[in-house]
Amino acid sequence: MQVGIVGLPNVGKTTLFNALTGAEAEVASYPFCTIEPNIGVVEVPDERLLRLSEMIRPQRTVPTTIKFLDVAGLVRGSSHGEGLGNQFLAKIREADAIAQVVRCFEREDISHVEGELSPLRDIEIVETELLLADLAVVERRLDKARGAGRSGDEKAKKRVQGLEKIKEHLQRGKLARLLPLDEDEQKLMEELSLLTRKPTIYVANVSEDALDEKSQERLREIFDKARDNGAEVVIVAAKFESELAQLESEERKEFLREEGLEESGLDQFIKASYKLLDLVTFFTTVGPEVRAWTINKGTRAPQAAGKVHSDMERGFIRAEVVSYGDLLAAGSVTRARELGIYRLEGKDYVVQDGDVTYFRFAV
Ligand SMILES: Nc1nc2c(ncn2[C@@H]2O[C@H](COP(=O)(O)OP(=O)(O)OP(=O)(O)O)[C@@H](O)[C@H]2O)c(=O)[nH]1
Ligand SMILES: [Mg+2]
């Protein structure tokens, strides 16, 4: 699972990436600092995993992860090859979700490609580029489909109709994710991997200083825009977070406690990204480790077992399942077994978010 970080140049994308990954990718006060894409794997913070781990005290606690991809900034005209962003749109197309970094910090010495600070305008520029890139994809497909449609084949005709519907919508300047679709059109849409269909989060990159009236007003505007555009919002002070990420984990916790904060903006961002992907997390508590795993919604028990080990899928017999909350309430795995709250589930069972599973299999 992968989240692509997009935005105008010099808005703090790499700064956010570094904060996320603890990497030291190059950051600079001039635009187009990033040329080669940066890819990093990030652990997903999950209180449930921590609680399970506190209860079971395993040798290892292994969180689930997501990948983040940081690419060159987009500018007006990127979809037609301006700047560097265009060649990376293909990379972003492979991502499962998009995080758009929106510059909300004011700094005279850090140039803004558009001059004045204006988060709303920036969002519009970036979304326009994504939209134009999508439109180009749909037009190419439509050309091909029309050729096939002339044969009179019903399926091919439906395809042309579906593509035309999507094209018209995009031409009106509307994001693909705002278009309601029936089941067939939905399938067609998935095939296209449109950028403006991907679940999106706006990352408002704010100054590390207290927010003044004007900054708060800008944030409100971003929230309104997000509501209209079917996006989520998180507020992050990327530069500050990247400094915080340099601290040891204990020091960091201490610092957050002193500031009266539950968790860092960065943790909120990672969680929000994970949520955006609409995944299911299940846990295993076997041997020396307590571990979180990620599957798509609707995954059945044998395929979930296959995530852990391919033998488990092949030789799947049944799953013993207890919800995370019930297990914690029982106090221990042994007690939960005594109480008989582990359920036996077969191969058609759809694994639920928060399930703690034990897979029985034969090799
Ligand atoms: N004050 C402040 N500066 C920031 C913040 N985020 C980023 N910066 C600065 O803004 C400049 C650009 O940051 P980068 O992370 O390189 O921006 P980018 O979006 O990756 O830029 P490109 O790779 O050129 O597209 C650097 O000088 C950062 O230190 C922030 O939250 N506050
Ligand atoms: Mg960069």
Side-chain angles (χ1 to χ4, degrees), residues 1-3 42-46 48 63-68 94-98 199 269-283 292-300 304 307 350-355:
M1 284 293 151
Q2 198 168 306
V3 178
V42 176
E43 296 183 348
V44 180
D46 188 334
R48 298 171 301 180
T64 185
T65 57
I66 32 180
K67 268 192 203 147
F68 284 89
E94 289 164 25
D96 303 287
I98 288 182
F269 169 60
I270 301 168
K271 282 190 196 165
S273 302
Y274 189 71
K275 200 162 154 234
L276 203 60
L277 295 168
D278 204 19
L279 300 164
V280 163
T281 308
F282 70 94
F283 305 96
W293 304 85
T294 297
I295 45 175
N296 287 317
K297 263 192 187 155
T299 302
R300 294 181 195 281
K307 277 257 157 193
V350 173
V351 176
Q352 302 296 307
D353 190 52
D355 277 353

Side-chain angles (χ1 to χ4, degrees), residues 184-354:
D184 287 341
E185 293 165 343
Q186 176 67 32
K187 276 200 198 111
L188 179 60
M189 183 61 104
E190 274 164 29
E191 216 181 281
L192 299 171
S193 303
L194 297 187
L195 299 164
T196 63
R197 185 77 185 179
K198 295 188 193 293
T200 295
I201 197 162
Y202 298 151
V203 184
N205 185 12
V206 296
S207 162
E208 47 283 17
D209 308 326
L211 299 180
D212 58 18
E213 191 72 28
K214 185 74 195 139
S215 308
Q216 290 178 13
E217 170 65 27
R218 288 195 196 105
L219 285 176
R220 274 194 295 275
E221 288 171 358
I222 295 175
F223 276 96
D224 287 344
K225 181 92 182 158
R227 203 168 325 111
D228 292 345
N229 282 359
E232 302 289 326
V233 185
V234 280
I235 302 169
V236 171
K239 185 148 187 289
F240 169 76
E241 293 287 344
S242 70
E243 285 155 14
L244 201 58
Q246 302 293 320
L247 300 178
E248 293 296 326
S249 120
E250 274 313 307
E251 266 182 290
R252 189 161 59 229
K253 276 187 205 141
E254 181 60 34
F255 176 86
L256 289 172
R257 243 194 321 270
E258 278 170 11
E259 294 288 307
L261 299 169
E262 285 267 323
E263 59 181 356
S264 68
L266 198 63
D267 282 349
Q268 286 173 25
F269 169 60
I270 301 168
K271 282 190 196 165
S273 302
Y274 189 71
K275 200 162 154 234
L276 203 60
L277 295 168
D278 204 19
L279 300 164
V280 163
T281 308
F282 70 94
F283 305 96
T284 53
T285 58
V286 183
E289 81 185 15
V290 169
R291 182 160 180 166
W293 304 85
T294 297
I295 45 175
N296 287 317
K297 263 192 187 155
T299 302
R300 294 181 195 281
Q303 286 70 46
K307 277 257 157 193
V308 181
H309 200 290
S310 54
D311 283 350
M312 290 190 169
E313 178 170 356
R314 237 172 311 165
F316 180 87
I317 299 171
R318 60 172 185 270
E320 296 171 18
V321 183
V322 61
S323 76
Y324 148 84
D326 290 349
L327 177 55
L328 271 199
S332 75
V333 172
T334 319
R335 185 81 187 118
R337 289 203 181 278
E338 282 166 9
L339 291 170
I341 56 174
Y342 270 87
R343 306 182 309 271
L344 292 183
E345 301 285 0
K347 62 178 175 18
D348 289 331
Y349 178 68
V350 173
V351 176
Q352 302 296 307
D353 190 52

Side-chain angles (χ1 to χ4, degrees), residues 13-15 26 33-34 38 70-71:
K13 298 182 297 298
T14 303
T15 305
E26 195 181 354
C33 164
T34 306
N38 300 306
D70 165 41
V71 296

Side-chain angles (χ1 to χ4, degrees), residues 44-108:
V44 180
D46 188 334
E47 276 83 29
R48 298 171 301 180
L49 182 67
L50 292 183
R51 298 248 185 77
L52 280 177
S53 179
E54 276 164 17
M55 184 182 92
I56 296 171
R57 304 204 164 276
Q59 283 170 27
R60 280 194 303 278
T61 303
V62 187
T64 185
T65 57
I66 32 180
K67 268 192 203 147
F68 284 89
L69 177 70
D70 165 41
V71 296
L74 292 167
V75 288
R76 278 180 208 270
S78 280
S79 56
H80 300 303
E82 284 298 324
L84 293 167
N86 186 41
Q87 49 187 309
F88 301 113
L89 285 178
K91 283 255 163 258
I92 299 295
R93 216 173 272 294
E94 289 164 25
D96 303 287
I98 288 182
Q100 184 185 159
V101 179
V102 186
R103 175 160 165 180
C104 300
F105 63 91
E106 259 173 304
R107 280 283 297 267
E108 295 283 321

